[in-house]
Amino acid sequence: MSIQFHVDATSGPARAGRLLTPHGEIQTPVFMPVGTLASVKGVSQDLLEELGVQVLLGNTYHLYLRPGVDQIRKLGGLHRFMAWPRPILTDSGGFQVFSLNDLRKVTEEGVTFRSHLDGSAHFLSPETATEAQIGLGADIIMAFDECTEYPADQVRVRTSMDLTLRWAERCKQYFEEHKSEVPWRTNRVGTAAPGCPGERELAGSAALHSAGRVRASFDCAQDRPASAQTQSLFGIVQGGMNLALRRESAQRTIEIGFPGYAIGGLSVGEPRTLTREIVEATVEHLPTAKPRYLMGVGTPEEIVEYANLGIDMMDCVLPTRAGRHGLLFTSQGKVSIKQARYAGDDSTLDPACRCQVCARYSRAYLRHLYASDEVLAQVLNTVHNLSFYLDTMRSVRHSIELGSRAHFLSGVQSQPKP
Ligand SMILES: [Zn+2]
């Protein structure tokens, strides 16, 4: 068994559940912060744990280019490499590769692309993208798909959707044949990398002692999934903005059979009302017993809305990226902390927020840090934004457990935003 999913409570289409992975339990609906290069920019792993981050997202494309999958595999996999014992999800690299408009060529076999780092040529296919994700060793990995651009005509959307379905079958076949090669299983015998199952007998080795107390406690206490466990490969529903093609994509992806299903190809420039319409229509065709992951969304208001539609998992760069650019999400709307009007503002950023930034610092100080380009500005802004997103999801889950629709933030939209 790779994952188990239990729905504990429902409220309309919304569900509160538990997703059990080889590296621990995830309470859903869940927001997954993005740690592109095995790091949530500016925030250390111990702080992420303190904030209550349950699962991180890593980007295969970026890790594939730097430091390279082989390097991470040799170091025991992504959990061990980045000292993150909790669950990880990796994307397939498809979305990033498809964003390289002028640097890629798509064929039936896969995608040839040039690195954004040094222009070197690379090839990703359903097989190589799955191989890379097995090497990284995340708990949940994604099928290699083609993210259809927006806008696109119906012929183009169908062609792209059919390609994604053929690729999904190839991903599944490769995964089934190679899933035992995940680092935290395969390192069990032979030259075991620290942190993998069954490696307890190496705990007294000189290598571990020299690695220091923190590393040793990480090895011993946490990163030990049961050796019979493997990763889980999720399928991705495409079909552009066409409701009939979305239904067909969902049905044919379910026929291939995956332990979880993602909705891809959204948040690609379409109006938000259309995103919502597609999500609502697609969710209807997904099995209730499997986790549903909406990729790449959204604002705090939107993640509440999508959870209410029955989405279990979401990820977005918005809280971290916006934080680094001085845009802060609060219970009273967005705050652009760079504005001069906050220079003398001694008040708390968000009186309703319980995060350590709001407990300690004033808007004036946060504004000063940002205006002075201090590294601490990025750290504190990111910590607050992540706290706000995670608190939002905790409130949503609580509302679902109480059987009421999540109304968190419902007052926000009616207020003027600075
Ligand atoms: Zn805060």
Side-chain angles (χ1 to χ4, degrees):
M1 182 60 74
S2 48
I3 55 166
Q4 295 177 40
F5 183 60
H6 304 288
V7 175
D8 295 329
T10 59
S11 175
R15 314 106 71 78
R18 282 169 299 130
L19 183 58
L20 310 179
T21 78
H23 288 84
E25 178 181 301
I26 302 165
Q27 296 195 324
T28 63
V30 65
F31 178 77
M32 307 185 285
V34 178
T36 297
L37 277 164
S39 155
V40 175
K41 293 187 197 313
V43 187
S44 65
Q45 275 70 321
D46 51 337
L47 196 42
L48 294 172
E49 288 175 357
E50 249 179 69
L51 293 174
V53 173
Q54 303 183 75
V55 47
L56 280 182
L57 186 140
N59 289 120
T60 297
Y61 166 81
H62 292 280
L63 295 168
Y64 167 90
L65 292 178
R66 186 171 59 190
V69 173
D70 281 348
Q71 184 71 268
I72 292 176
R73 178 199 284 275
K74 280 181 207 155
L75 291 166
L78 199 46
H79 292 91
R80 166 73 187 165
F81 175 59
M82 66 182 289
W84 177 254
R86 296 183 184 179
I88 300 176
L89 181 149
T90 48
D91 65 4
S92 68
F95 185 80
Q96 269 81 25
V97 168
F98 285 104
S99 304
L100 302 168
N101 285 322
D102 301 328
L103 301 172
R104 66 175 163 88
K105 179 167 178 274
V106 184
T107 65
E108 181 68 31
E109 194 50 36
V111 184
T112 307
F113 64 96
R114 289 196 174 278
S115 161
H116 73 286
L117 296 176
D118 59 7
S120 56
H122 299 271
F123 177 70
L124 272 181
S125 68
E127 290 79 14
T128 58
T130 307
E131 179 186 27
Q133 290 186 87
I134 292 172
L136 295 174
D139 299 86
I140 297 169
I141 66 175
M142 303 303 300
F144 188 68
D145 63 332
E146 183 177 53
C147 180
T148 317
E149 66 283 356
Y150 175 85
D153 65 47
Q154 189 154 336
V155 173
R156 161 68 189 145
V157 176
R158 167 165 283 287
T159 306
S160 174
M161 181 193 85
D162 285 337
L163 180 66
T164 285
L165 285 160
R166 291 192 296 276
W167 283 1
E169 287 190 30
R170 285 167 53 188
C171 286
K172 185 179 177 182
Q173 184 175 350
Y174 186 91
F175 178 70
E176 291 300 329
E177 289 166 0
H178 297 270
K179 61 186 177 187
S180 65
E181 295 165 16
V182 70
W184 32 266
R185 272 176 63 103
T186 53
N187 287 335
R188 188 166 186 217
V189 291
T191 54
C196 65
E199 183 271 328
R200 193 176 300 274
E201 63 276 14
L202 294 184
S205 72
L208 276 184
H209 280 298
S210 67
R213 189 176 61 80
V214 174
R215 304 275 302 158
S217 73
F218 173 82
D219 297 326
C220 297
Q222 292 164 316
D223 187 25
R224 293 195 179 282
S227 58
Q229 291 179 312
T230 60
Q231 301 170 284
S232 294
L233 172 69
F234 280 22
I236 302 179
V237 175
Q238 290 288 346
M241 306 302 156
N242 182 307
L243 295 183
L245 291 180
R246 283 278 168 182
R247 184 184 64 229
E248 181 181 337
S249 175
Q251 289 169 345
R252 290 171 62 190
T253 308
I254 292 164
E255 276 170 29
I256 297 169
F258 295 95
Y261 296 93
I263 302 174
L266 292 177
S267 239
V268 288
E270 78 282 8
R272 280 297 174 264
T273 49
L274 186 53
T275 316
R276 187 190 192 285
E277 188 186 342
I278 298 292
V279 171
E280 189 168 20
T282 306
V283 161
E284 282 177 26
H285 305 294
L286 298 178
T288 55
K290 302 275 178 76
R292 305 156 174 171
Y293 166 27
L294 178 57
M295 307 177 81
V297 296
T299 65
E301 293 87 349
E302 286 163 358
I303 63 173
V304 173
E305 193 177 356
Y306 299 136
N308 276 333
L309 294 175
I311 296 296
D312 305 305
M313 307 162 68
M314 286 170 259
D315 77 281
C316 193
V317 294
L318 193 55
T320 42
R321 183 176 291 166
R324 296 196 302 277
H325 291 96
L327 186 63
L328 303 169
F329 298 97
T330 77
S331 60
Q332 290 154 15
K334 285 181 268 189
V335 170
S336 177
I337 201 68
K338 68 184 77 170
Q339 292 177 355
R341 62 167 153 158
Y342 297 118
D345 188 342
D346 192 38
S347 63
T348 297
L349 172 60
D350 182 357
C353 178
R354 292 168 300 168
C355 89
Q356 49 186 268
V357 177
C358 291
R360 185 157 193 160
Y361 305 104
S362 66
R363 291 182 170 194
Y365 183 63
L366 294 175
R367 195 263 170 187
H368 158 71
L369 291 179
Y370 188 86
S372 311
D373 203 19
E374 283 291 312
V375 171
L376 188 58
Q378 300 195 6
V379 176
L380 298 183
N381 293 347
T382 305
V383 166
H384 165 77
N385 272 355
L386 278 182
S387 290
F388 188 73
Y389 266 68
L390 295 165
D391 275 346
T392 299
M393 274 310 200
R394 277 190 280 266
S395 297
V396 169
R397 184 182 156 83
H398 188 58
S399 294
I400 298 168
E401 286 170 335
L402 294 175
S404 60
R405 303 274 287 176
H407 288 301
F408 192 78
L409 292 171
S410 59
V412 173
Q413 286 148 317
S414 60
Q415 295 189 17
K417 289 174 182 169

